[in-house]
Amino acid sequence: QVLSLPIVVIVHGNQDNNAKATVLWDNAFSEIDRVPFVVAERVPWEKMCDTLNLKFMAEVQTTKGLLQEHYFFLAQKIFNDHSASFEDFQSRSVSWAQFNKEILPGRGFTFWQWFDGVLDLTKRCLKSYWSDRLIMGFISKQYVCKLLSTKPDGTFLLRFSDSEIGGVTIAHVIRGKDGSSQVENIQPFSAKDLSIRSLGDRIRDLGQLRNLYPNIPKDQAFGSHYNSEWVGAE
C-alpha cells in the first residue's frame, strides 16, 4: 500500500489552472500522516514564499530563484496591502481563498491564475533573460516610477504585467527639456507576441530604450539575446 501524489481529474482545459493550484497546495502543505484530502486552509506566508520559489525554479528550469524584493511585491499583491513592511508580512498567514479563490482587486483573475501565467510566459519565452537577471519582473508600477524617476532619459526595466495574465511590459523614463521625468509602460508582450519576435529583438528595435536599469547599455545587457539573422540584415 502506498500513498500517491494528488490527482485531479478535469473535464475541460479551462479547469487546468484550478487543478494545478489544488495539486500545488496539497503537495506543499499537507501533513504526511493526515486524514486523506485534509489540507490546512491557511499557511504561513513564509512557507508560501518557499513554495512559490521552488515552483518557479522547477517550472522555468532555472537556478535563479525569487529574491526578497519579489516576495515583498507578491505579499502586497496577495494580501492587497501596500502599507505593511516586509517584516509585517513574515508573521502573516495566507488562505486558500486568497491564493486561488478571491479575485484580485480591480482584476478578473485570482493570485494563482496571475502567477501561473507568469510561470508559463517565463518558461516559454523568457528563461534565458530571467536567468541572466535582466528581468526585474515582480515589481509594482508605483515602485518602478520611484526607481526610474531619477534616472537619465531612456533608462528602462522589465516587469510582469499587473493587468494581464502572462504578459511582460517595458517601463522606461522620458525626460523633458525642463528636466521633468515621465515613466511610460509599453503595452505588455504575450507569449504569442514573443514567439513572433523575441524580447531581445523587440528591445533592440525600440530606439527610445537606451540603458537597462540602473545604467547598463542595452546592447551590452541584451546583445547575446539578439537574433543573429536580424543583426546581419542591417
Side-chain angles (χ1 to χ4, degrees), residues 56-67 70 122-123 125-137 160 199 221-222 224-225:
F56 190 93
M57 292 173 70
E59 198 79 20
V60 177
Q61 291 291 290
T62 180
T63 58
K64 299 300 193 327
L66 303 182
L67 304 174
H70 297 150
T122 310
K123 175 176 66 176
C125 305
L126 304 175
K127 176 183 174 181
S128 59
Y129 302 93
W130 175 270
S131 296
D132 288 345
R133 290 295 191 204
L134 298 174
I135 298 176
M136 201 165 284
F160 297 123
L199 180 63
F222 291 92
S224 62
H225 298 276

Side-chain angles (χ1 to χ4, degrees), residues 129 156 170 172 186 189 193-194 196-210 218-219 222-223 225-234:
Y129 302 93
F156 68 97
I170 303 170
H172 64 100
I186 294 171
F189 300 121
D193 296 326
L194 299 178
I196 296 169
R197 187 146 172 76
S198 74
L199 180 63
D201 287 335
R202 288 179 184 274
I203 288 172
R204 182 169 162 270
D205 292 343
L206 295 166
Q208 69 269 41
L209 306 181
R210 297 174 188 168
K218 76 172 180 183
D219 289 346
F222 291 92
H225 298 276
Y226 294 162
N227 186 319
S228 58
E229 293 177 18
W230 289 96
V231 172
E234 281 200 338

Side-chain angles (χ1 to χ4, degrees), residues 22-46:
T22 302
V23 170
L24 180 68
W25 190 276
D26 195 286
N27 271 337
F29 307 123
S30 60
E31 301 293 336
I32 295 295
D33 56 353
R34 63 173 171 158
V35 175
F37 310 114
V38 173
V39 193
E41 275 292 314
R42 301 189 73 87
V43 297
W45 170 244
E46 203 168 6

Side-chain angles (χ1 to χ4, degrees), residues 110-151:
T110 66
F111 174 86
W112 168 250
Q113 285 173 324
W114 175 82
F115 189 82
D116 189 45
V118 168
L119 276 181
D120 185 61
L121 175 73
T122 310
K123 175 176 66 176
R124 290 167 61 186
C125 305
L126 304 175
K127 176 183 174 181
S128 59
Y129 302 93
W130 175 270
S131 296
D132 288 345
R133 290 295 191 204
L134 298 174
I135 298 176
M136 201 165 284
F138 300 103
I139 181 172
S140 69
K141 190 179 286 189
Q142 293 78 9
Y143 193 53
V144 166
C145 289
K146 183 179 177 182
L147 291 180
L148 293 181
S149 61
T150 59
K151 290 297 176 181

Side-chain angles (χ1 to χ4, degrees), residues 45-92:
W45 170 244
E46 203 168 6
K47 201 170 180 182
M48 172 60 78
C49 289
D50 291 340
T51 298
L52 294 176
N53 183 47
L54 290 172
K55 178 67 174 173
F56 190 93
M57 292 173 70
E59 198 79 20
V60 177
Q61 291 291 290
T62 180
T63 58
K64 299 300 193 327
L66 303 182
L67 304 174
Q68 181 169 309
E69 54 263 36
H70 297 150
Y71 295 137
F72 185 48
F73 166 74
L74 292 171
Q76 289 177 323
K77 196 171 190 69
I78 202 167
F79 292 114
N80 188 31
D81 185 347
H82 295 272
S83 60
S85 68
F86 179 83
E87 290 71 25
D88 291 336
F89 287 129
Q90 294 304 92
S91 60
R92 294 193 190 183

